[in-house]
């Protein structure tokens, strides 16, 4: 099973990064629908797609409007979007308002509150739980019979954050890391995480494989998170366990 990183920036696109969107073609499963969604076209081979939304901030939902094109030029016929009810209502009212976008995209909306804390998504079990972010966001844990992932964005993390209990034992953790340790004040102000907090928390939780993403588009490449410095202070998490996501990166989730 492969994870395609279609958009790995937070907030706004840069010359090299679009905003949050990830896709697993084999499961026809998308995580968030930021501007990177435009890259999904050649990867759509099913007639249905499921999109899990963390929240409704624009960098995670703007790409939903692009589906109109893909309904016309790919096998796609049904789009299922999952998220909290208040976020769905905000998207329907504001993003799919004809003053903002001219056509109503035919989406089947699923309020996750109606499905309970855990629901079945094709061959997977999916759990959701709250994160700490202005306006609220949710994290997801997805368990297939032989593989599990967690998707945690946007949030200010600490080893005490309640969600670490929900994702115990996952094979892969995709976690936001919008800021380096130089910008802790701004991370707290905007409801995001910084490098050493994510590494320390993931190490304490025994996460075996960590994908850092939702990268500040203004950060300097090729080490936008100051990872070299931060990992040196984290002996329990080796550099080989950590990947910094980049647009168009494809990660083989079977290679544990
Ligand atoms: Zn975001
Ligand atoms: Zn946000």
């Amino acid at each position: 099973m492969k994870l395609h990183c279609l958009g790995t920036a937070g907030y706004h696109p840069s010359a090299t990064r679009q905003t949050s969107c990830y896709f697993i073609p084999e499961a026809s499963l998308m995580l968030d629908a930021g501007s990177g969604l435009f890259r999904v076209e050649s990867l759509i081979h099913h007639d249905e797609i499921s999109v899990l939304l963390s929240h409704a901030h624009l960098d995670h939902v703007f790409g939903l409007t692009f589906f109109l094109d893909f309904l016309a030029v790919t096998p796609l016929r049904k789009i299922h979007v999952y998220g909290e009810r208040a976020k769905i209502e905000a998207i329907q009212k504001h993003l799919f308002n004809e003053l903002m976008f001219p056509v109503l995209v035919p989406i089947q909306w699923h309020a996750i509150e109606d499905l309970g804390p855990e629901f079945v998504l094709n061959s997977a079990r999916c759990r959701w739980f709250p994160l700490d972010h202005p306006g609220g966001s949710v994290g997801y844990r997805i368990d297939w019979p032989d593989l599990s992932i967690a998707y945690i964005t946007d949030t200010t993390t600490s080893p005490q954050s309640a969600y670490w209990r929900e994702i115990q034992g996952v094979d892969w953790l995709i976690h936001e890391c919008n800021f380096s340790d130089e910008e802790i004040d701004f991370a707290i102000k905007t409801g995001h995480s910084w490098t050493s907090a994510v590494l320390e928390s993931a190490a304490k939780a025994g996460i075996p494989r960590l994908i850092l993403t939702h990268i500040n588009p203004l950060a300097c490449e090729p080490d936008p998170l100051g990872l070299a410095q931060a990992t040196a202070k984290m002996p329990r998490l080796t550099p080989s366990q950590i990947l910094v996501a980049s647009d168009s990166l494809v990660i083989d989730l079977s290679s544990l």
Side-chain angles (χ1 to χ4, degrees), residues 177-188:
C177 194
N178 202 83
F179 293 108
S180 72
D181 290 359
E182 312 288 305
E183 298 148 308
I184 292 178
D185 290 349
F186 207 56
I188 292 169

Side-chain angles (χ1 to χ4, degrees), residues 4 29 139 199 209 214 221 223 242:
H4 290 248
L29 176 67
L199 296 187
R209 290 280 188 282
H214 197 285
E221 306 284 357
D223 184 12
I242 307 163

Side-chain angles (χ1 to χ4, degrees), residues 104-229:
L104 191 63
V105 178
I107 289 174
Q108 324 244 332
W109 301 95
H110 304 270
I112 51 179
E113 291 94 332
D114 294 340
L115 305 174
E118 185 171 305
F119 58 94
V120 174
L121 195 59
N122 301 317
S123 61
R125 281 185 300 121
C126 180
R127 271 192 87 74
W128 61 276
F129 35 84
L131 303 177
D132 180 16
H133 189 60
S137 62
V138 296
Y140 292 95
R141 175 188 180 132
I142 304 141
D143 284 88
W144 288 276
D146 52 357
L147 179 75
S148 55
I149 65 170
Y151 178 56
I152 306 295
T153 197
D154 294 3
T155 196
T156 307
T157 196
S158 84
Q160 289 74 44
S161 301
Y163 67 83
W164 290 104
R165 284 197 298 276
E166 303 280 357
I167 62 174
Q168 278 293 309
V170 290
D171 298 315
W172 292 86
L173 169 60
I174 306 158
H175 199 293
E176 82 125 285
C177 194
N178 202 83
F179 293 108
S180 72
D181 290 359
E182 312 288 305
E183 298 148 308
I184 292 178
D185 290 349
F186 207 56
I188 292 169
K189 187 176 171 186
T190 57
H192 288 290
S193 298
W194 59 94
T195 311
S196 62
V198 180
L199 296 187
E200 184 191 351
S201 307
K204 283 194 171 145
I207 297 295
R209 290 280 188 282
L210 178 63
I211 301 166
L212 300 174
T213 192
H214 197 285
I215 308 294
N216 177 2
L218 299 181
C220 295
E221 306 284 357
D223 184 12
L225 301 176
L227 199 59
Q229 220 177 357

Side-chain angles (χ1 to χ4, degrees), residues 38 40-49 66-79:
F38 81 90
V40 81
E41 182 186 338
S42 64
L43 299 170
I44 295 177
H45 306 302
H46 293 78
D47 59 358
E48 297 197 24
I49 192 168
F66 309 163
F67 272 125
L68 196 62
D69 258 356
F70 304 143
L71 285 168
V73 299
T74 73
L76 191 61
R77 291 298 168 264
K78 265 194 184 164
I79 304 158

Side-chain angles (χ1 to χ4, degrees), residues 24 55-56 64 78 81 89 94 101 108 116 137 146 157 178 199 207 218 224 232-233 236 242-243 248 253:
I24 300 175
H55 62 316
L64 288 173
K78 265 194 184 164
V81 175
E89 286 173 0
H94 301 292
F101 190 70
Q108 324 244 332
S137 62
D146 52 357
T157 196
N178 202 83
L199 296 187
I207 297 295
L218 299 181
K233 294 184 265 172
R236 281 191 289 162
I242 307 163
L243 273 171
S248 301
L253 299 174

